[in-house]
Amino acid sequence: MKKKVVSLLLVTTMVASLAAGCGDSSSSGDGTEKTGKKVETVDDGHTLTAWAWDPNFNIPALKAAAEDYKKNVDPDFVLNIEEQSGSSDIETAITTAGSAGDYSTLPDIVLFQDHYFRQYHTNYPDAWVSANDADVKWDDFSQEKLSFSTIDEEHFGFPC
């Protein structure tokens, strides 16, 4: 059984790199899934689900990244974006899933405030997957932003 892959803080140019390394993915694309519900998955290697909350910034950025990845890497790629009411809903869902030890309620990608990452990684280390193998120029990010999601020289997220 594949482990649910959770990542955070994706920037538009980074979602494509993460998509290449993820296994589990969601088949839900209607945007009606809310935090706390079991996320149905398909293992087609082309589909991911992301939770985001800002229809003016995060969601358009994810859509642009998905289109770029579909155009330049995988023509069958689908990114299901499920809009949440705020970062706090995502943070609550991570805490609830982690406390229960059941990450099936979480999507492949979550966006939340970067200052929470170390706490989540410490409390729920099995919820995260390394992004070190992603084709990313880590030096292009500020070291301060990278410090939030880098633990023991291993990257677990993408700052924005």
Side-chain angles (χ1 to χ4, degrees), residues 23-142:
D24 283 354
S25 52
S26 173
S27 60
S28 172
D30 61 5
T32 60
E33 291 288 327
K34 297 294 178 194
T35 56
K37 290 186 177 181
K38 193 160 197 107
V39 175
E40 294 183 36
T41 60
V42 293
D43 191 11
D44 68 358
H46 302 282
T47 305
L48 295 175
T49 297
W51 283 351
W53 70 90
D54 185 345
N56 295 313
F57 177 71
N58 295 332
I59 292 172
L62 285 169
K63 287 179 180 178
E67 287 303 314
D68 181 66
Y69 187 75
K70 185 172 187 164
K71 178 181 176 184
N72 294 304
V73 179
D74 180 359
D76 297 323
F77 180 69
V78 174
L79 180 64
N80 296 316
I81 301 170
E82 297 175 0
E83 183 175 349
Q84 304 301 309
S85 62
S87 179
S88 62
D89 288 345
I90 295 170
E91 293 153 11
T92 298
I94 293 168
T95 301
T96 302
S99 296
D102 179 9
Y103 302 114
S104 67
T105 58
L106 299 176
D108 304 294
I109 301 166
V110 295
L111 283 74
F112 60 82
Q113 303 299 324
D114 54 6
H115 60 274
Y116 287 111
F117 185 76
R118 286 191 175 270
Q119 171 188 338
Y120 290 143
H121 188 274
T122 298
N123 293 341
Y124 319 115
D126 295 336
W128 313 100
V129 64
S130 173
N132 276 4
D133 291 339
D135 185 17
V136 175
K137 294 179 183 176
W138 297 107
D139 291 336
D140 287 350
F141 294 102
S142 78

